[in-house]
Amino acid sequence: MSLTTTVPMSGRAGRTIRRFHVTVISGPAKGKVWAEVAQRCAVGSHPSNDLWIADETVSRFHCELAIVNDAVRVRDLGSRNATLLGDAALVEALLVGGNTLALGGTRLRIDIDPGEVTLPGFERSQFGDIVGDSAIMAEVFSQLDKIARSDATVLIYGETGTGKEGTAQAIHDASARASGPFVVVDCGAIPSSLLEAELFGHEAGAFTGAVSRRIGAFEQASGGTLFLDEIGELPIELQPKLLRALESREIRRVGSTAVVSCDLRFIAATNRDLRAEVNRGAFRADLYYRLAVVRLALPALRERREDVPLLVRTLLARLEASPTITAKLTEPAYLEVLAAAAWPGNVRELRNHLAQCAVFGECMPPSALAPARLGGDVDASQSYELARRQALDAFERSYLMSLLERTHGNVAAAARSADVNRGYLYRMLGRHGLR
């Protein structure tokens, strides 16, 4: 008798995963069980969690559990009382099942079921400009198809370079608002002093330099979609104003008392876990609840290596690479090299690497973009300019990765630490596929 369960779906299958369930064995919610057909379970004292535990010793967003192959990964979200396995406070760990976790005054038992489940898939290998023929992308496309049919606010999260803006554009293009505008505001690239005017507009004379009225992003996007990229960078003092605008669909231009109504859909994106930001007080809980009506996770490229050949062919076509270089870069042996690379900058980094290869007409190894030290071994068979460019790129990229790691991905803090202009830092990050 088969232990595999199949969820009704159409088209290609999504991933087949093990099922797990969570049981509250002590505390105010004793006896409560989470046993959904899902890869992840968020646990906390706020009702928006998958497993809601009404216990004041449990943080609003306490931890997240996710099935990874045959184990459950537990990740603490910066909780107040920690997530304990015995006496050990966990940051992130893999559990084999049958384990007990303590969250404040509540204890949970994690069990992995013997059966498997196939997640919903999607019949095509492309949604908008996003491509992939892996099972994990079939699952993502299935979610996107449902999201596009609604008008719900969406929070997209994923690592740098996973295609969050392209995903937002694809949702808009497949929605009933496709004929309306798609307006993008990068909350991390605009100085905080100018961001309010960028979002809501301003009247002439509202502040120094405001010589005429300016229509903000909310009004520009009316009838369509407003995409708020890097929402985790939004200054805390501006968050209440954004919350009011999201709730009322009304704004006031800076320097005006008149209320302007806006009919628009909101999509936001971040490479941070905003639940952890809420726990540490850097992001308003009420704004998070308003943004995360629907949450969509984009996988890192290392989680879908089988998509690399399709991605390479698609990206080369978009780069308008010559037939000669396209043939070189799509040779099976080179595709295997690309698929095995780490790509911390994900699809954006892969694209930048292919663009470099197209410029120089060579199958450059991905290691040319990996951290390296100046003055180390060089390949004298290459031209001087190519070898020099690779060495400088390697140093610059290594420095930027270390800088972002030290500042936990906060670009504003990274710019201050490096003593460079934030706009210049954004350009460098973009050049190396790190943003």
Side-chain angles (χ1 to χ4, degrees):
M1 177 177 169
S2 173
L3 291 173
T4 299
T5 303
T6 301
V7 177
M9 61 186 175
S10 61
R12 294 183 300 130
R15 289 173 296 163
T16 297
I17 62 171
R18 294 288 297 276
R19 294 188 63 172
F20 72 103
H21 65 273
V22 186
T23 306
V24 182
I25 58 176
S26 70
K30 182 179 179 180
K32 199 168 188 177
V33 177
W34 178 89
E36 302 295 327
V37 178
Q39 183 186 7
R40 293 180 175 84
C41 173
V43 183
S45 59
H46 189 272
S48 64
N49 286 279
D50 302 305
L51 178 56
W52 170 34
I53 299 174
D55 181 346
E56 63 182 12
T57 67
V58 174
S59 295
R60 282 177 294 195
F61 303 104
H62 201 104
C63 65
E64 182 180 72
L65 309 170
I67 192 73
V68 179
N69 298 322
D70 294 329
V72 172
R73 183 188 64 208
V74 56
R75 185 164 62 90
D76 186 80
L77 298 174
S79 62
R80 183 173 66 254
N81 291 324
T83 301
L84 300 175
L85 178 64
D87 295 329
L90 304 180
V91 176
E92 185 168 325
L94 288 176
L95 309 179
V96 295
N99 307 91
T100 298
L101 299 176
L103 285 60
T106 289
R107 296 175 69 220
L108 310 175
R109 189 179 69 244
I110 315 300
D111 293 296
I112 300 176
D113 300 344
E116 295 181 326
V117 59
T118 301
L119 298 174
F122 192 69
E123 59 187 9
R124 299 192 303 274
S125 60
Q126 182 166 359
F127 193 97
D129 286 339
I130 311 299
V131 299
D133 48 19
S134 60
I136 194 171
M137 289 309 292
E139 179 189 341
V140 169
F141 293 159
S142 176
Q143 294 176 58
L144 286 172
D145 185 49
K146 296 179 179 69
I147 289 169
R149 297 177 194 175
S150 77
D151 211 31
T153 301
V154 183
L155 178 62
I156 303 170
Y157 59 101
E159 294 179 7
T160 291
T162 48
K164 294 185 285 293
E165 182 174 340
T167 300
Q169 179 77 63
I171 293 171
H172 169 77
D173 291 344
S175 74
R177 294 178 175 271
S179 61
F182 178 75
V183 178
V184 180
V185 174
D186 189 331
C187 299
I190 302 170
S192 57
S193 58
L194 301 179
L195 190 52
E196 181 177 2
E198 181 74 21
L199 290 170
F200 307 132
H202 62 74
E203 298 291 347
F207 50 82
T208 303
V211 296
S212 61
R213 170 185 285 181
R214 185 181 188 283
I215 301 301
F218 268 70
E219 289 182 79
Q220 293 174 37
S222 196
T225 302
L226 175 58
F227 175 53
L228 302 174
D229 199 7
E230 301 296 345
I231 192 68
E233 302 288 341
L234 190 71
I236 194 73
E237 64 273 12
L238 189 53
Q239 292 178 22
K241 295 180 181 179
L242 177 60
L243 175 63
R244 285 195 294 272
L246 287 170
E247 290 178 333
S248 67
R249 298 302 202 264
E250 294 178 342
I251 57 101
R252 288 188 177 89
R253 301 188 193 108
V254 177
S256 173
T257 58
V259 174
V260 179
S261 295
C262 304
D263 170 28
L264 68 166
R265 181 188 195 165
F266 296 95
I267 303 176
T270 180
N271 60 7
R272 302 189 192 186
D273 193 322
L274 293 186
R275 297 168 298 182
E277 298 296 296
V278 168
N279 283 340
R280 72 182 188 91
F283 202 86
R284 287 180 63 110
D286 46 6
L287 178 56
Y288 171 77
Y289 307 145
R290 179 59 64 176
L291 290 170
V293 177
V294 176
R295 297 173 72 241
L296 176 70
L298 297 181
L301 188 52
R302 64 181 175 276
E303 298 177 84
R304 54 183 190 115
R305 295 182 188 277
E306 60 268 46
D307 284 337
V308 168
L310 175 60
L311 283 167
V312 169
R313 293 184 181 92
T314 302
L315 293 170
L316 287 173
R318 292 175 185 172
L319 290 167
E320 298 182 347
S322 69
T324 301
I325 191 61
T326 296
K328 282 185 180 181
L329 297 178
T330 54
E331 290 178 355
Y334 189 61
L335 289 176
E336 287 184 14
V337 171
L338 295 179
W343 304 118
N346 294 294
V347 177
R348 183 184 291 121
E349 183 184 2
L350 174 61
R351 181 193 182 281
N352 288 355
H353 177 70
L354 294 173
Q356 282 189 315
C357 292
V359 168
F360 291 106
E362 298 184 32
C363 292
M364 295 163 54
S367 58
L369 298 179
R373 58 185 178 89
L374 287 174
D377 294 337
V378 296
D379 182 1
S381 67
Q382 297 177 330
S383 68
Y384 167 78
E385 181 55 35
L386 176 57
R388 175 181 174 275
R389 182 69 260 167
Q390 287 183 359
L392 289 174
D393 281 351
F395 161 75
E396 192 173 84
R397 189 171 188 280
S398 178
Y399 176 84
L400 292 172
M401 290 176 67
S402 177
L403 182 66
L404 288 176
E405 183 178 0
R406 193 160 63 84
T407 58
H408 305 291
N410 187 317
V411 179
R416 290 193 297 271
S417 176
D419 195 24
V420 297
N421 177 273
R422 186 164 65 170
Y424 177 65
L425 180 59
Y426 268 102
R427 289 193 293 275
M428 284 199 294
L429 293 172
R431 186 163 64 245
H432 291 281
L434 296 173
R435 186 186 171 281

